[in-house]
């Protein structure tokens, strides 16, 4: 199938403290570049193999323009390999946090990307035969194609809600804690709203331009980005300029940024039942896009 080129990507697609779940390589398949993914350094005999098999099962039954496309798999060798479309413009994390001004995302692009991710998550939650929870929504798991179209990737932790059920019990192995909803680590009972919370943190990262794990100093004390944002919004929802990345604030469109901040706040509410659905989030973002002063949103 795909030929490994030995051209190791600069990062593991997903990392944990004990090592990589999977490694990604560039390859060529039917004359076009692809990504070939195989289990990490601890081999294919432990749960990493199950992780990749789960990803294969999920991606083989879904199709959306903002979800990375699975092109094939290879079980003929000792090590399982999955083959995906190649997204040449790195991860969303890179584009949010790069210091290279040529690659910084304008507000126009951030709003479009936020809408694309919301559409994909809405599809997973509502348009599949059983609702699929991604469980690890974060900028590292969003890849950008040649047109900077967002593609959600890394479905190894995804889980489906059984027919007739509204939630599913699960362990907490794997997801990145700073993007995970409070109930994820307390009740172990998940609904689609865990993705909504993670999406809200991602949206806040797009607005602020800082990773949620980096403390924010405000009035002499350090707080986490989510707490800092929530406290500002509760105190003065009409004066949110300190929340936004200076780079996008200089573009104007403050009214639109504030509307997006309020939507973000809804997504990161502590009670899952108080959060909107991803379908509602996507609808609101598309409305913002239509009202944008930018042409061809």
């Amino acid at each position: 199938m795909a030929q490994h080129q030995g051209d190791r990507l600069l990062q593991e697609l997903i990392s944990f403290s004990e090592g990589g779940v999977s490694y990604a390589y560039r390859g060529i398949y039917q004359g076009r570049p692809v990504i070939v993914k195989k289990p990490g350094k601890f081999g294919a005999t432990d749960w990493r193999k199950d992780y990749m098999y789960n990803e294969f099962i999920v991606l083989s039954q879904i199709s959306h323009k903002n979800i990375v496309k699975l092109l094939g798999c290879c079980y003929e060798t000792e090590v399982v390999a999955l083959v995906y479309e190649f997204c040449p413009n790195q991860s969303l994390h890179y584009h949010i946090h790069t210091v290279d001004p040529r690659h910084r995302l304008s507000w126009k692009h951030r709003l479009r990307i936020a809408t694309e991710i919301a559409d994909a998550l809405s599809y997973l939650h509502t348009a599949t035969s059983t609702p699929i929870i991604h469980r690890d929504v974060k900028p590292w798991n969003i890849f950008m194609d040649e047109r900077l179209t967002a593609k959600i990737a890394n479905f190894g932790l995804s889980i489906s809600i059984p027919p007739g059920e509204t939630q599913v019990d699960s362990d907490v192995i794997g997801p990145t804690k700073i993007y995970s909803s409070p109930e994820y680590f307390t009740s172990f009972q998940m609904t689609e709203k865990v993705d909504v919370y993670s999406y809200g943190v991602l949206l806040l990262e797009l607005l602020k331009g800082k990773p949620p794990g980096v403390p924010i100093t405000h009035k002499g004390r350090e707080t986490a980005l989510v707490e800092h944002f929530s406290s500002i919004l509760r105190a003065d929802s009409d004066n949110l300029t300190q929340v936004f990345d200076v780079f996008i604030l200089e573009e104007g469109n403050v009214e639109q940024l504030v509307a997006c901040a309020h939507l973000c706040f809804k997504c990161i509410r502590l009670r899952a039942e108080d959060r909107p659905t991803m379908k509602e989030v996507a609808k609101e973002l598309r409305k913002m896009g239509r009202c944008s002063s930018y042409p061809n949103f």
Side-chain angles (χ1 to χ4, degrees):
M1 201 178 221
Q3 298 177 354
H4 290 230
Q5 301 298 307
D7 184 11
R8 174 77 178 277
L9 293 184
L10 295 179
Q11 65 184 45
E12 298 169 0
L13 286 183
I14 300 182
S15 297
F16 296 98
S17 59
E18 70 269 26
V21 173
S22 59
Y23 294 133
Y25 301 81
R26 289 186 63 175
I28 300 295
Y29 175 53
Q30 295 184 344
R32 61 173 168 172
V34 295
I35 288 295
V36 180
K37 194 160 78 170
K38 70 173 188 176
K41 64 183 179 181
F42 286 94
T45 58
D46 58 10
W47 62 271
R48 287 162 182 78
K49 187 173 181 179
D50 295 334
Y51 173 96
M52 293 194 64
Y53 181 73
N54 186 60
E55 180 157 76
F56 167 73
I57 293 298
V58 173
L59 287 176
S60 63
Q61 60 183 324
I62 61 178
S63 178
H64 190 277
K65 64 181 181 178
N66 298 118
I67 294 175
V68 67
K69 184 179 295 184
L70 178 69
L71 302 177
C73 64
C74 181
Y75 285 97
E76 297 175 357
T77 58
E78 182 179 349
V79 178
V80 174
L82 301 179
V83 183
Y84 307 83
E85 65 175 311
F86 176 54
C87 296
N89 276 311
Q90 305 192 59
S91 70
L92 178 58
H93 180 276
Y94 168 80
H95 288 278
I96 296 175
H97 304 294
T98 181
V99 295
D100 187 339
R102 296 172 301 172
H103 296 161
R104 294 288 299 275
L105 295 171
S106 67
W107 171 240
K108 171 188 175 181
H109 285 110
R110 295 188 203 200
L111 180 56
R112 174 185 55 77
I113 288 167
T115 306
E116 290 172 345
I117 299 168
D119 282 337
L121 290 173
S122 177
Y123 164 81
L124 291 173
H125 294 174
T126 63
T128 55
S129 56
T130 56
I132 297 172
I133 306 173
H134 185 279
R135 293 180 69 194
D136 202 19
V137 177
K138 59 184 179 182
W140 283 109
N141 288 340
I142 312 295
F143 289 86
M144 314 303 293
D145 72 6
E146 63 279 358
R147 297 183 178 181
L148 286 183
T149 299
K151 306 268 188 175
I152 300 179
N154 296 331
F155 282 78
L157 296 176
S158 299
I159 193 167
S160 297
I161 299 178
E165 301 292 332
T166 59
Q167 61 185 28
V168 61
D169 296 335
S170 179
D171 56 52
V172 294
I173 295 175
T176 306
K177 188 172 183 179
I178 55 176
Y179 293 93
S180 299
S181 62
E183 72 271 17
Y184 203 117
F185 296 94
T186 54
S187 68
F188 309 119
Q189 294 180 331
M190 294 186 302
T191 69
E192 300 95 322
K193 296 300 181 71
V194 300
D195 281 349
V196 177
Y197 183 94
S198 300
Y199 176 84
V201 179
L202 183 152
L203 184 59
L204 176 56
E205 196 167 348
L206 279 168
L207 288 169
K208 183 64 175 176
K210 292 184 179 295
V214 175
I216 301 293
T217 302
H218 181 62
K219 294 184 178 179
R221 61 184 293 266
E222 289 188 345
T223 58
L225 179 59
V226 172
E227 295 176 9
H228 173 67
F229 169 72
S230 299
S231 63
I232 290 176
L233 197 60
R234 291 191 187 99
D236 188 1
S237 62
D238 295 324
N239 185 23
L240 288 170
T241 54
Q242 58 184 305
V243 169
F244 307 123
D245 185 347
V246 174
F247 180 77
I248 61 173
L249 193 59
E250 292 174 349
E251 299 178 38
N253 296 285
V254 175
E255 183 177 342
Q256 195 177 63
L257 289 170
V258 169
C260 199
H262 282 280
L263 177 61
C264 175
F265 183 69
K266 294 177 185 177
C267 292
I268 60 173
R269 285 173 175 163
L270 294 180
R271 285 164 38 98
E273 55 268 35
D274 293 336
R275 299 171 204 147
T277 65
M278 285 309 309
K279 186 174 183 179
E280 291 169 336
V281 172
K283 181 179 180 180
E284 194 162 337
L285 286 169
R286 285 195 298 273
K287 182 179 179 181
M288 290 182 201
R290 288 194 295 270
C291 295
S292 174
S293 59
Y294 292 104
N296 302 320
F297 171 78

